Amino acid sequence: MNSSVADMTKKERRAIPRQDMNERDAKERAKCFDEVTLGYSLQEAQFEAARCIQCKDPACIKGCPVGIDIPGFLDCIVQGDLHGSINKLWERTALPAVCGRVCPQEMQCEAECVVGLKEGREPVAIGNLEMFIADWARENGVKNEVVIPPATGKKVAVVGSGPAGITVAGDLALKGHDVTVFEAFHRAGGVLLYGIPEFRLAKDIVDYEIEGLKELGVKIEYDSVVGRTVDVDELLEEMGYDAVFIGVGAGLPNFLGIPGEELNGVFSANEYLTRSNLMKAFDFPKFDTPIIPGTNVAILGAGNVAMDAARTALRLGAKSVKIVYRRTKEESPSRQIELHHAGEEGVEFEFLTSPLEFVGTDGKLSGIRCERMELGEPDESGRRRPIPVKDSSFVLDCDLAIIAIGTQANPLLTNVTKGLELNQWGNIKADEKSGKTTKEKVWAGGDITLGQATVILAMGTGRDAANSIDAYLNGESW
Amino acid sequence: MYRIIKREEMAEGTIVLNEIEAPQIAKKAKPGQFVILIANENGERIPLTMADVDKEKGTITIIYMIVGKSTELFASLKVGEGYAHIVGPLGSPTHIENFGTVVCVGGGTGTAVLHPIARGMKEAGNEVISIVGSRTKDYLILEDKMSKISNELHICTDDGTKGRHGFVTDELREILESKKVDLVVAIGPVPMMKFVSLLTKEYSVPTMVSLNPIMVDGTGMCGGCRVTVGGEIKFACVDGPEFDGHQVDFDNLMQRLTAYKHEEEHSKECMLNKKV
């Protein structure tokens, strides 16, 4: 193992620049679904980890929703102790390979990193290093060798196998509880599977992390829509579950509510991405689910999901892909890295542009009537409000339009479950610290409580709920 | 795997019945609800409304016409083999009560979906008049079963090979002229449901139709199954599959059903070429 990095002086360490992540060439990758990021070499990882100054009171840990011992796992890398490093990660997360890839580190751990607070310096690339260690463990067959305590005999049902549900399942299995996950789809992973494309998070990584859960004793019931196939009360009263965690996500896509939305060629991002990601329509006809590969594609919205849809459309062979957004790049809710990657691959941007109507002939989309906008005074979100420019309407030609303007709570489960209080947006009301809902023995977390958030925030709520469930199963009163 | 315990060709090489072990779905299923089936791990998600449920045996029955690659795959499954995945019951159940006189109109394999609803209507105390239509007599299904649960059964074929030579709407018009009807339930090909709805509108008779648009998840997640009803967008998977026939934009539905026509043909071609 390379020990020279560990021997470097503080001054030498300070001189190391942030190690860029190796990426597949933009032109090459825009034509295939292979992962964009190629990872670090061991040496790059050790150089990067050596940039950490091992603060006494590490702010980065506070920036992490699941409280990973970041200086600890980084120091192990510097020392060449990769086993030690992955174990540090596994103490707090069941999904390091996923989080290393999709967490918005620049708003969390890396935003707090003291190294990056100094002028002209960049924070330690914590996310890249998490990915490096997780990939090393997977590629080398290193298993989480935790000792599971004797079975407690308590049964927990987890509804949904997305980031929140997976976290709860993993945490409670590690405490010796008997956990069953109920998943509506035929594969587990939730949004990691249907939402995030292959080129950003390879699906064999998700499968691998799910397999790890199964090795901890977690059972998964596929094809089970809770609220239809089985009800929450049935789980508690007839099937003997002592606790239920609801992590069904925010699955209902928003539409624009403008004329022409019913035309063929207009999709929700949820549908477009589910077809391509979960159903593997990108590999049609080997896989049976079809997808319409547009020639001129417009994406409405500029969040992370919009970037995923845009980059998917490019890979499916579109000649032109345009992001249509009523504000500017600065107000875009997408991560900067996603905007950057999309732009590099050839996605174009129509900022300050708002859709008015989908137009088409014979039921098929041919374009979007749009108008130009300008920025006015700040609105309640603090961002400058876009105002239409008079007489600026025009038709943007496209044969495929993908609406990516967010999702809301799916009422499928909440409509039929008595005693669950919801907020005005239909999200389940849950205690911020414990995840307890207004229904006894039922906890909730992830997007069904948060609205639309991130993978790691969902995992954070899952972690809190798991602690609360464990305490309850050990005799704490409701 | 969801094992097939009975397979029957109701019309040779065209219409197939499968009775499948799915105890949890059978336990919860009500008339009018659907399931989504996947033939194998590479398969697509196909929604089909259940034709029957046996809660004691823990089985569900589906009846489908072979039209594309997926239904070809379904039809190739033998007794003892099974579907990789089935999820359900999905959608809202049919609203069944004693309306008075209910005319149940079934076209093609829509009759399979209609049967449990008609039976429910009969059990709720309604006078049930059924009209069953198909292109030709070989494609007529469930004649005996429909006859058992109907006060009257009328058969129509497009080519006159059995029953009335004509469309179900011809028969329906005569009934609407001759007596007071409280509800019409129409399930079948989209054009049939469209013309039944246009007809009953003339007579101001409430009409319920069951729609089968293209779907992916079946839980409200993708919006692919959106239909225009009363000028508003509805999701057939969670708001339906049954809607007020007088409010449905059938032309839009027909248009949306053709969205993948080219891909569907290509997929089937690839499959058949491999066989040859």
Side-chain angles (χ1 to χ4, degrees):
Chain A
M1 220 33 100
N2 190 339
S3 64
S4 61
V5 178
D7 296 336
M8 284 168 92
T9 64
K10 275 188 184 171
K11 200 178 163 192
E12 283 170 332
R13 288 187 181 204
R14 263 203 298 275
I16 304 172
R18 180 165 159 132
Q19 305 290 297
D20 286 334
M21 177 65 102
N22 300 299
E23 288 173 355
R24 211 173 288 281
D25 174 71
K27 280 208 185 96
E28 176 204 334
R29 72 182 192 236
K31 294 186 198 116
C32 71
F33 280 83
D34 295 340
E35 270 203 296
V36 170
T37 49
L38 297 171
Y40 281 146
S41 67
L42 173 62
Q43 195 185 34
E44 286 164 335
Q46 287 190 309
F47 272 123
E48 185 58 37
R51 296 179 64 234
C52 171
I53 58 172
Q54 298 290 320
C55 304
K56 281 212 183 81
D57 184 17
C60 53
I61 299 183
K62 293 185 198 115
C64 173
V66 296
I68 291 173
D69 175 7
I70 293 164
F73 100 82
L74 297 186
D75 189 48
C76 287
I77 299 178
V78 175
Q79 305 303 329
D81 176 14
L82 303 189
H83 276 97
S85 187
I86 188 69
N87 282 326
K88 287 270 180 208
L89 286 171
W90 278 334
E91 278 172 19
R92 306 296 301 178
T93 171
L95 303 170
V98 172
C99 292
R101 286 168 168 80
V102 302
C103 272
Q105 292 99 6
E106 68 280 7
M107 292 159 64
Q108 296 170 339
C109 53
E110 293 182 22
E112 305 291 332
C113 175
V114 171
V115 173
L117 294 179
K118 292 232 177 73
E119 210 177 312
R121 304 261 301 151
E122 286 184 274
V124 176
I126 300 165
N128 292 354
L129 288 165
E130 183 180 20
M131 172 180 158
F132 167 78
I133 285 296
D135 288 355
W136 166 83
R138 188 179 67 256
E139 284 155 15
N140 290 281
V142 178
K143 296 280 178 196
N144 190 352
E145 281 163 11
V146 286
V147 181
I148 299 174
T152 62
K154 302 284 185 188
K155 282 174 73 178
V156 182
V158 172
V159 185
S161 66
I166 291 174
T167 305
V168 173
D171 281 10
L172 292 177
L174 287 173
K175 306 267 191 197
H177 303 305
D178 180 2
V179 183
T180 304
V181 178
F182 292 83
E183 167 54 46
F185 274 128
H186 52 288
R187 287 176 67 197
V191 72
L192 305 175
L193 209 62
Y194 73 74
I196 302 177
E198 185 77 18
F199 53 85
R200 217 149 66 73
L201 173 64
K203 299 309 155 222
D204 56 4
I205 293 172
V206 180
D207 291 344
Y208 181 86
E209 309 238 36
I210 297 289
E211 279 309 306
L213 271 189
K214 289 185 185 165
E215 281 166 20
L216 296 177
V218 172
K219 286 164 278 194
I220 302 183
E221 291 284 344
Y222 298 96
D223 308 320
S224 295
V225 182
V226 175
R228 289 283 190 272
T229 316
V230 61
D231 299 325
V232 172
D233 284 328
E234 236 177 323
L235 292 169
L236 289 168
E237 286 158 23
E238 291 174 32
M239 295 164 77
Y241 286 95
D242 300 290
V244 174
F245 174 82
I246 301 172
V248 293
L252 205 67
N254 290 330
F255 282 85
L256 286 157
I258 60 175
E261 220 150 33
E262 74 287 351
L263 290 169
N264 282 346
V266 180
F267 284 84
S268 73
N270 260 9
E271 178 178 3
Y272 198 73
L273 291 172
T274 300
R275 282 180 180 273
S276 181
N277 300 337
L278 175 76
M279 304 309 296
K280 300 191 183 288
F282 70 84
D283 205 358
F284 176 85
K286 185 181 162 199
F287 288 82
D288 294 339
T289 303
I291 196 161
I292 294 178
T295 305
N296 295 305
V297 183
I299 315 287
L300 304 160
N304 290 326
V305 173
M307 300 307 142
D308 285 344
R311 297 168 71 193
T312 298
L314 267 188
R315 284 161 173 78
L316 288 170
K319 265 205 254 160
S320 135
V321 179
K322 292 193 169 99
I323 299 263
V324 177
Y325 183 47
R326 62 199 182 113
R327 302 177 195 251
T328 72
K329 189 176 179 183
E330 281 63 48
E331 290 86 19
S332 141
S334 164
R335 290 181 73 191
Q336 287 304 311
I337 181 87
E338 302 304 329
L339 272 170
H340 170 74
H341 277 151
E344 247 185 0
E345 290 169 9
V347 172
E348 299 158 73
F349 297 87
E350 292 277 355
F351 291 118
L352 291 171
T353 305
S354 185
L356 296 173
E357 172 189 19
F358 295 101
V359 291
T361 41
D362 298 333
K364 272 186 85 175
L365 179 75
S366 63
I368 309 172
R369 178 170 297 285
C370 298
E371 65 182 348
R372 298 292 185 193
M373 312 296 278
E374 58 190 6
L375 292 181
E377 294 299 308
D379 62 13
E380 62 277 7
S381 75
R383 299 179 297 180
R384 291 177 64 194
R385 187 192 301 273
I387 305 165
V389 175
K390 224 181 147 193
D391 301 326
S392 66
S393 94
F394 68 103
V395 172
L396 180 81
D397 288 339
C398 62
D399 54 350
L400 182 66
I402 303 172
I403 302 169
I405 55 163
T407 57
Q408 49 183 309
N410 189 330
L412 191 81
L413 179 147
T414 53
N415 269 351
V416 297
T417 308
K418 288 192 195 90
L420 269 187
E421 263 183 53
L422 310 178
N423 69 14
Q424 63 189 105
W425 299 283
N427 296 103
I428 297 175
K429 280 190 190 171
D431 181 76
E432 249 180 61
K433 286 207 181 75
S434 67
K436 280 181 182 169
T437 67
T438 52
K439 186 177 174 72
E440 203 171 326
K441 298 186 185 180
V442 179
W443 284 255
D447 280 1
I448 190 64
T449 61
L450 296 166
Q452 220 187 344
T454 61
V455 169
I456 191 73
L457 282 173
M459 290 177 65
T461 60
R463 167 69 36 82
D464 294 341
N467 287 334
S468 172
I469 292 169
D470 181 54
Y472 174 79
L473 296 178
N474 282 314
E476 198 174 87
S477 60
W478 171 256
Chain B
M1 189 189 74
Y2 297 79
R3 207 161 61 96
I4 296 170
I5 63 161
K6 184 178 162 194
R7 183 188 183 282
E8 195 184 310
E9 293 203 2
M10 307 186 84
E12 210 188 319
T14 314
I15 300 173
V16 181
L17 173 149
N18 280 164
E19 186 179 351
I20 309 157
E21 283 177 345
Q24 187 60 32
I25 299 173
K27 182 182 165 194
K28 302 291 287 249
K30 295 193 175 88
Q33 289 189 298
F34 66 94
V35 289
I36 286 182
L37 305 101
I38 307 178
N40 58 48
E41 294 302 332
N42 288 8
E44 63 179 325
R45 299 170 67 92
I46 299 291
L48 283 174
T49 303
M50 287 174 274
D52 209 353
V53 168
D54 189 325
K55 290 186 192 288
E56 270 172 33
K57 268 162 81 186
T59 61
I60 60 169
T61 298
I62 52 159
I63 295 173
Y64 55 89
M65 183 173 268
I66 301 171
V67 284
K69 178 176 178 184
S70 289
T71 40
E72 285 275 4
L73 281 175
F74 288 4
S76 73
L77 297 170
K78 301 182 186 78
V79 171
E81 299 178 335
Y83 291 83
H85 298 277
I86 303 181
V87 60
L90 299 169
S92 305
T94 307
H95 175 66
I96 290 176
E97 62 166 72
N98 191 345
F99 295 95
T101 300
V102 179
V103 178
C104 294
V105 187
T109 50
T111 304
V113 176
L114 182 70
H115 173 251
I117 296 170
R119 186 172 57 195
M121 290 294 179
K122 179 75 182 163
E123 283 164 3
N126 291 287
E127 181 194 9
V128 173
I129 301 171
S130 298
I131 308 171
V132 171
S134 71
R135 256 182 282 160
T136 180
K137 81 172 180 359
D138 290 345
Y139 291 172
L140 273 174
I141 58 168
L142 301 174
E143 205 183 315
D144 287 353
K145 282 192 162 182
M146 286 302 291
S147 160
K148 266 184 209 151
I149 49 114
S150 307
N151 296 71
E152 289 172 31
L153 174 68
H154 304 269
I155 305 282
C156 308
T157 48
D158 298 359
D159 63 358
T161 43
K162 186 155 190 187
R164 183 186 187 116
H165 185 173
F167 297 125
V168 289
T169 39
D170 302 333
E171 194 70 45
L172 179 60
R173 185 181 289 277
E174 276 179 23
I175 295 168
L176 291 171
E177 283 291 340
S178 66
K179 68 186 293 174
K180 183 181 168 291
V181 173
D182 299 290
L183 177 74
V184 170
V185 181
I187 305 175
V190 182
M192 182 209 97
M193 293 193 284
K194 175 183 169 176
F195 287 108
V196 166
S197 299
L198 284 173
L199 176 64
T200 57
K201 202 164 183 186
E202 283 176 36
Y203 293 85
S204 301
V205 177
T207 299
M208 195 205 80
V209 294
S210 179
L211 309 183
N212 193 10
I214 295 171
M215 273 183 200
V216 183
D217 62 292
T219 62
M221 209 201 79
C222 82
C225 66
R226 58 195 193 277
V227 286
T228 312
V229 181
E232 277 178 51
I233 285 194
K234 299 274 182 195
F235 289 2
C237 67
V238 285
D239 301 322
E242 288 170 8
F243 293 99
D244 175 354
H246 296 161
Q247 302 289 323
V248 172
D249 182 341
F250 289 102
D251 295 336
N252 178 222
L253 175 62
M254 275 185 261
Q255 189 61 245
R256 289 187 63 80
L257 282 167
T258 63
Y260 297 96
K261 201 166 167 253
H262 173 75
E263 285 79 8
E264 282 160 5
E265 282 165 6
H266 178 59
S267 190
K268 194 171 176 183
E269 228 168 78
C270 289
M271 184 198 196
L272 296 176
N273 285 345
K274 253 182 222 163
K275 267 189 191 166
V276 177

